[in-house]
Amino acid sequence: MALNVTDLRVYYRTLRGEVKALDGVTFSVADGEIMGLAGESGSGKSTLAKSLIRLDGRMRHVGGTVELDGKTMPLSDDTGMDRFRFREVSLIPQYSMSALNPTRKIGKMVGELLESRGERPERAELERRLELVGLSKDVLDRYPIELSGGMKQRVVMVVSTLLNPSLLIADEITSALDVSSQKAVATTLLGFRDRGLVTSMMVVTHDISLVYQIADTIMVMYAGRLAEKAPADVLVTAPRHPYTKQLISALPEVGVRYEDRRLTGIPGNPPSLLKPPGGCRFRDRCPLAFEQCAEQPPFAEVAPGHFVACWKAE
Amino acid sequence: MRRYFGRKLLIYGLTFFVAVTINWMIPRFMPGDPVQSMLSRANVAQPAAVEAMRAHYTAMFGLDLPLWQQYLNFWGSLLKGDLGISIWLFPTPVSDVIVRAVPYTLGLLIPSILLSWFAGNRFGAFAARRKWLDNSVLPIGYVLTATPYMWLAILLAWALGIVAGIFPVAGAYGFDLQASWSWTFLGSLAQHWFLPFASLFLVAFGGWAIGMRNMIIYELEADYVNYLRALGAPTRLVRRYAFRNAILPQVTGLALQLGVLVAGALVTEIVFSYPGLGHLILQAIQNQDFFLLQGTFLFIVIGVLIANFIIDVAYVLVDPRTRTGMGGAA
Amino acid sequence: MRNEALHFALRNRKLVVGTVVIAVFLVAGLAGPLMFDHGPNDYVGPAMAPPSGEFWFGTTTFGQDVFAQFVYGLRATFLVGVLGGVLAAAVGMVVGFVAGYRGGWVDELLNMLTNIVLVLPALVVLLIINAYLGVRSIGVQALFIGLTSWPWAARAIRAQTFSLRSRDFVDLARLSGVRTPKIILREIAPNMSSYLFLTFILLFGSAILVAASLDFIGLGPTQGVSLGLMLNNAARWSALQLGLWWWFIPPGAGITAIVGALYVMNVGLDEVFNPKLREM
Ligand SMILES: Nc1ncnc2c1ncn2[C@@H]1O[C@H](COP(=O)(O)OP(=O)(O)OP(=O)(O)O)[C@@H](O)[C@H]1O
Ligand code: SF4
Ligand SMILES: [Mg+2]
């Protein structure tokens, strides 16, 4: 097992109290697995992604553990996490366009980054990987401002995977791109896994239909909790959680993101994460809700590799 | 890069033109025709000086020529390097008086600007996001940068000069000395130089430190910093990059602050009777020596323009993006 | 949202301290002069008296009451700061908005103008102008300070306007035929109001400093009293050599405190308006 997350709770400190953006999630990602992570805006996807690599100043690790390749990650210990970052777990951020230091030539920046991590920069390997994403080695002698947005993103993809991490997290990296570039990025990610440059991947997305093409499994979040996780085709063809069903039925043609469409037929909004109600968090909007839903349903394995948090999913 | 310098030079050329025009216009068009009233109320003891003044005004403005011709004549004499005769030090040409004073002003300005800039930036970057420094030392930075130059100069002169008696508080060297390369003279020069330098340095230092501290804090929130941190880059590298990037707006800031720094030097010189341009300005005002005042004005403008150009060159050296022809700031 | 800003504003030490200092000096400047039945320049006491119960800040070589001069001087200082700051902010806003919103040759032209005024050393220009003025007043001083100190504000506002210009709500207004001045006033300015306020505070502070320098050189208002003029008189009449520290310390300390408080307020406000800078 590459990644094991157990009952992870991460809250944001705010003036009005703690936002329980990640409230007890348990799942694992196997070696070689590409997991898509979907869910409405505000459901906690980015919070989960950030928790696994670097908490920001307002996030607080309240409970739960994360194990990567059998080693427990010290989430709230910023320096302790450095041992894992880049080598074991790495990130392709959403802001790839501005992720590179504007006043350093790319090659130099990469060299300095590697050196600062005690790694020896190998020019030949770097060039080979750039070629893999369709960039010539000339980009190493250029400043970020001289590259197009897409080129910058590919540079970032190469940099992030340079040390062959066990887990690569990609957060919304396709949302700013047009359809054909989205495809290219998805294919590149797949290539990274197939060539063994990264072991497993977590791809956060707004676009189930796109991630469906590369993901082995898809996990759906709702209001800070997990709703369902299943092999990609099972989740898309035979979802069991009422929320996932709504998502899938609203699923449009490839390329149109579901956020663009209102989740028609589901009245109401997700509950506030400041003081979330007990029980199933989807209860207010669930057509199937009944008395037992006042208790929190477990995230149970209903079929091999298929987990659902719903009393009605047997 | 050509375009960058081309634009800059155009602006400096235009600025010079505007400065000369202001210089010509103000005495000509101020309410009550100052030229006439000046001739009448010139409180100059020597009649020769009044005569010289009248002759010069006539040559320069040709008071009964058409305006455009007056204006051209003004440029003509200016381009010949003729700034008129000083009334205060009659009959020394204004340009001579100025040239004698310039080294003192530069001797104060250049070291204080450069040293305060380097030290302030270093210090500000060091203090940023280090809680105890941020809370204890930076308030001092705010006080320093809010201090009027002349007041700090007065305080230093009073405390270290008059009360403690460590430093002299007037002139550029001992009254009993003759300019020479002797150790005594140089020592006296350095002694007299120190307090005005220190007060200029301290005020400017506070400003740079605060500016850098705020810049770095912005930089540390930038996306590239978050990315580096996510890849586990050590603080050392992150701070180095942030410093490197935050220094760029500080170079631009240096150009923006030049006027203020020069003004600071002028009032500081007045406090210490230091014989630079500020001292000249005070004398010119007190003696109604308008040629001297206007000549000094032009001289300072030219100096500031040259300094701006030097900073432009420096900016190209520190911001690689300007060299790739991709623009960049400023 | 409003409440949140207020909450941070009240909790921000820099902002609170700055505001309190400004308020104290403002009250002193407004109410102080009412304590006296004599003018600030009247010869009311013994010469060179150190601070005492009767003359809180002592007296000058001529027996003028330094405290009276100080509180009257505060008035002048605030007045010149506000007038100069408002004028500079107004010019900077007009130039910045128009250049940023219009773009094209208008922008080129205004940018050129901005850059020219920017490189001209303001104080030296002011020196020349004021030297030729027979009678000088605070109003005229503020006028010229305002007219020379707007460029950096114009630059900053132009850049902000530039980034707002292409936002949806501005497009919408433009498409629905709203006229340019109205778009600027209704759509663009409100969206950078906090920024404009910060700019004004800095202009306020720098106007005070410039005025003080002018006064000190001897080109201050020909009548009345200001903190800068007090420094000028103290230096001119050898307060240093005579050891009359009570004459030159208060005016400088007053200017420093006011300007410093403005700067600190500025940074505090920035932290309040900009969530990224808030420390948790
Ligand atoms: N810095 C923060 N301070 C307070 N609350 C936050 C902060 N960042 C996120 N949240 C809250 O945490 C919850 C989860 O946010 P998160 O960014 O993880 O959502 P997401 O699923 O990534 O959404 P999106 O699809 O919009 O990116 C939201 O309710 C959000 O309001
Ligand atoms: S647990 Fe109940 S409320 Fe929640 S999804 Fe299942 S049926 Fe709906
Ligand atoms: Mg997100």
Side-chain angles (χ1 to χ4, degrees):
Chain A
M1 282 296 199
L3 178 73
N4 271 319
V5 176
T6 315
D7 196 27
L8 182 62
R9 287 165 206 275
V10 174
Y11 299 168
Y12 288 97
R13 278 176 301 203
T14 72
L15 286 180
R16 273 157 283 138
E18 300 205 298
V19 175
K20 304 187 169 61
L22 212 54
D23 206 10
V25 303
T26 303
F27 67 96
S28 42
V29 179
D31 278 340
E33 177 179 338
I34 296 183
M35 182 184 85
L37 180 57
E40 259 172 316
S41 185
S43 56
K45 304 182 298 293
S46 298
T47 308
L48 175 55
K50 279 193 277 181
S51 302
L52 297 182
I53 189 151
R54 183 165 176 262
L55 301 178
D56 72 32
R58 304 207 184 159
M59 293 165 86
R60 199 162 70 86
H61 178 205
V62 180
T65 56
V66 177
E67 265 180 32
L68 187 61
D69 295 333
K71 285 168 283 187
T72 302
M73 300 209 285
L75 296 195
S76 47
D77 171 7
D78 197 38
T79 30
M81 280 294 284
D82 276 344
R83 268 183 297 124
F84 289 87
R85 294 180 184 138
F86 206 7
R87 293 198 183 93
E88 311 283 336
V89 51
S90 192
L91 168 82
I92 304 176
Q94 187 173 0
Y95 49 81
S96 290
M97 314 296 161
S98 51
L100 299 167
N101 182 357
T103 59
R104 274 281 193 277
K105 285 185 179 158
I106 286 160
K108 186 159 187 220
M109 192 219 92
V110 175
E112 287 173 342
L113 173 63
L114 287 173
E115 229 160 87
S116 78
R117 296 298 322 265
E119 300 283 340
R120 251 183 344 115
E122 286 173 41
R123 182 89 181 188
E125 177 63 11
L126 189 54
E127 287 171 8
R128 196 177 69 80
R129 297 211 177 179
L130 285 171
E131 216 169 291
L132 224 57
V133 298
L135 290 173
S136 92
K137 62 181 185 211
D138 297 348
V139 298
L140 293 178
D141 287 317
R142 301 227 227 141
Y143 291 99
I145 195 174
E146 297 174 87
L147 305 184
S148 73
M151 288 163 89
K152 273 184 265 196
Q153 184 167 54
R154 277 177 280 162
V155 169
V156 169
M157 288 167 80
V158 167
V159 173
S160 294
T161 54
L162 217 45
L163 299 183
N164 301 351
S166 297
L167 177 69
L168 178 69
I169 299 167
D171 190 358
E172 312 274 13
I173 59 175
T174 57
S175 14
L177 304 176
D178 60 72
V179 177
S180 64
S181 327
Q182 286 182 355
K183 277 231 154 127
V185 167
T187 320
T188 309
L189 288 179
L190 200 56
F192 281 162
R193 196 264 319 257
D194 293 345
R195 286 191 167 77
L197 304 186
V198 300
T199 316
S200 316
M201 246 185 254
M202 194 165 111
V203 182
V204 179
T205 183
H206 262 126
D207 188 348
I208 292 194
S209 47
L210 182 81
V211 79
Y212 171 63
Q213 296 165 26
I214 61 165
D216 305 306
T217 59
I218 295 178
M219 185 161 87
V220 177
M221 288 189 72
Y222 184 82
R225 293 226 177 109
L226 302 182
E228 184 163 11
K229 181 184 178 201
D233 46 350
V234 174
L235 188 117
V236 170
T237 53
R240 302 236 191 151
H241 195 285
Y243 174 63
T244 321
K245 285 182 186 156
Q246 298 279 4
L247 274 186
I248 300 297
S249 69
L251 197 64
E253 324 76 72
V254 174
V256 183
R257 285 157 238 159
Y258 60 82
E259 66 171 339
D260 300 339
R261 298 200 162 190
R262 280 286 143 76
L263 287 179
T264 44
I266 314 182
N269 292 309
S272 149
L273 296 179
L274 267 174
K275 287 192 186 66
C280 175
R281 291 197 177 165
F282 190 54
R283 191 156 37 122
D284 289 348
R285 301 163 85 187
C286 182
L288 306 181
F290 64 117
E291 311 87 74
Q292 199 180 1
C293 305
E295 264 172 68
Q296 184 186 331
F299 193 55
E301 190 160 18
V302 293
H306 192 161
F307 299 83
V308 186
C310 173
W311 294 119
K312 284 275 168 96
E314 62 284 339
Chain B
M1 198 156 87
R2 244 230 199 105
R3 217 179 99 81
Y4 171 81
F5 280 118
R7 279 186 72 91
K8 293 283 181 186
L9 286 176
L10 175 65
I11 289 192
Y12 300 151
L14 282 173
T15 309
F16 181 66
F17 176 80
V18 169
V20 171
T21 307
I22 290 179
N23 222 1
W24 173 77
M25 249 168 58
I26 286 179
R28 211 65 206 75
F29 294 107
M30 272 296 178
D33 195 352
V35 175
Q36 282 304 340
S37 67
M38 212 160 51
L39 286 175
S40 54
R41 84 186 141 136
N43 56 355
V44 190
Q46 315 103 303
V50 178
E51 207 28 63
M53 204 163 139
R54 184 189 305 283
H56 200 83
Y57 267 118
T58 322
M60 217 178 210
F61 294 114
L63 291 174
D64 31 52
L65 292 174
L67 277 181
W68 63 268
Q69 201 147 16
Q70 294 184 28
Y71 184 60
L72 285 188
N73 287 350
F74 187 78
W75 269 101
S77 50
L78 185 73
L79 293 179
K80 276 183 267 160
D82 182 2
L83 295 172
I85 306 284
S86 166
I87 305 298
W88 170 50
L89 292 177
F90 187 79
T92 323
V94 164
S95 44
D96 288 1
V97 179
I98 294 176
V99 166
R100 252 180 268 154
V102 163
Y104 291 107
T105 298
L106 288 184
L108 279 184
L109 262 179
I110 293 178
S112 57
I113 289 181
L114 291 181
L115 290 176
S116 67
W117 192 81
F118 280 108
N121 281 325
R122 279 264 156 238
F123 185 77
F126 185 72
R129 284 280 188 246
R130 286 190 168 90
K131 261 225 147 65
W132 60 279
L133 271 181
D134 228 24
N135 290 336
S136 61
V137 185
L138 280 172
I140 299 178
Y142 281 109
V143 172
L144 282 178
T145 185
T147 309
Y149 280 95
M150 58 275 183
W151 189 56
L152 186 62
I154 289 177
L155 287 186
L156 288 181
W158 178 62
L160 296 180
I162 290 169
V163 176
I166 306 173
F167 290 99
V169 293
Y173 47 84
F175 290 115
D176 49 344
L177 293 177
Q178 286 288 314
S180 69
W181 288 109
S182 70
W183 284 116
T184 345
F185 179 73
L186 291 179
S188 169
L189 210 55
Q191 258 191 336
H192 284 76
W193 169 85
F194 183 77
L195 281 188
F197 159 80
S199 60
L200 278 175
F201 172 85
L202 285 174
V203 178
F205 174 84
W208 297 126
I210 298 288
M212 188 60 173
R213 180 253 177 203
N214 294 340
M215 277 306 162
I216 286 265
I217 282 182
Y218 270 103
E219 283 297 322
L220 289 178
E221 298 294 334
D223 284 342
Y224 72 89
V225 167
N226 279 327
Y227 182 56
L228 285 172
R229 286 248 150 96
L231 296 187
T235 311
R236 206 166 7 93
L237 183 73
V238 171
R239 276 191 171 263
R240 199 167 93 212
Y241 281 5
F243 180 76
R244 185 71 174 65
N245 295 348
I247 221 56
L248 300 179
Q250 292 289 84
V251 176
T252 319
L254 186 54
L256 294 180
Q257 285 294 310
L258 273 179
V260 175
L261 291 162
V262 169
L266 298 183
V267 293
T268 305
E269 285 176 7
I270 291 177
V271 171
F272 290 100
S273 311
Y274 202 75
L277 294 177
H279 184 64
L280 287 194
I281 285 180
L282 185 69
Q283 294 303 335
I285 290 171
Q286 289 180 351
N287 293 291
Q288 305 252 350
D289 188 346
F290 289 87
F291 289 129
L292 183 57
L293 188 62
Q294 295 193 271
T296 315
F297 166 73
L298 270 192
F299 228 85
I300 292 178
V301 170
I302 294 173
V304 167
L305 292 181
I306 293 175
N308 261 289
F309 187 71
I310 295 175
I311 294 173
D312 291 337
V313 174
Y315 193 86
V316 171
L317 293 182
V318 290
D319 188 349
R321 289 168 296 179
T322 49
R323 267 171 285 155
T324 62
M326 302 295 289
Chain C
M1 190 54 218
R2 281 254 154 261
N3 278 336
E4 194 164 321
L6 189 66
H7 175 99
F8 279 107
L10 293 177
R11 261 179 41 156
N12 190 298
R13 279 233 312 274
K14 297 190 182 92
L15 182 57
V16 171
V17 169
T19 314
V20 167
V21 171
I22 295 289
V24 166
F25 279 99
L26 192 59
V27 168
L30 289 177
L34 307 177
M35 294 164 48
F36 303 102
D37 43 17
H38 56 80
N41 290 329
D42 293 350
Y43 309 109
V44 289
M48 300 198 264
S52 64
E54 192 183 356
F55 301 104
W56 293 2
F57 288 181
T59 61
T60 69
T61 21
F62 312 107
Q64 293 153 315
D65 182 350
V66 176
F67 184 67
Q69 293 196 336
F70 182 72
V71 287
Y72 275 98
L74 280 176
R75 274 191 185 184
T77 295
F78 273 109
L79 194 62
V80 85
V82 170
L83 291 180
V86 164
L87 184 62
V91 178
M93 271 160 63
V94 170
V95 173
F97 281 143
V98 173
Y101 186 76
R102 278 300 183 77
W105 67 268
V106 176
D107 180 31
E108 284 284 324
L109 207 72
L110 288 176
N111 212 357
M112 195 74 92
L113 178 71
T114 308
N115 281 323
I116 288 174
V117 184
L118 193 66
V119 284
L120 273 179
L123 183 88
V124 194
V125 176
L126 291 171
L127 278 179
I128 288 281
I129 296 175
N130 280 291
Y132 277 99
L133 282 175
V135 182
R136 296 180 294 265
S137 66
I138 290 184
V140 174
Q141 194 180 41
L143 173 74
F144 285 114
I145 290 178
L147 288 180
T148 48
S149 57
W150 55 269
W152 70 262
R155 254 196 182 188
I157 292 170
R158 169 181 172 271
Q160 293 273 321
T161 310
F162 221 71
S163 67
L164 283 179
R165 186 173 67 163
S166 49
R167 296 278 187 82
D168 295 345
F169 56 88
V170 178
D171 282 340
L172 196 69
R174 193 171 23 228
L175 287 177
S176 46
V178 182
R179 291 187 39 238
T180 306
K182 211 165 169 188
I183 295 185
I184 290 178
L185 275 180
R186 290 270 174 82
E187 309 291 340
I188 294 185
N191 270 291
M192 45 194 278
S193 54
S194 60
Y195 193 79
L196 294 176
F197 188 61
L198 294 182
T199 309
F200 167 71
I201 290 186
L202 291 181
L203 288 171
F204 185 1
S206 78
I208 291 178
L209 284 180
V210 172
S213 296
L214 274 178
D215 296 354
F216 179 73
I217 294 174
L219 294 175
T222 26
Q223 304 254 296
V225 56
S226 77
L227 298 183
L229 278 176
M230 288 173 74
L231 281 178
N232 176 31
N233 284 325
R236 209 146 47 114
W237 303 108
S238 310
L240 270 99
Q241 286 75 9
L242 299 173
L244 310 183
W245 51 266
W246 54 86
W247 192 357
F248 57 79
I249 285 187
I255 297 172
T256 307
I258 292 173
V259 177
L262 286 170
Y263 288 171
V264 170
M265 253 174 90
N266 177 66
V267 176
L269 277 173
D270 196 19
E271 287 173 3
V272 170
F273 291 140
N274 186 344
K276 270 190 172 179
L277 300 181
R278 287 176 191 161
E279 286 170 32
M280 287 297 285

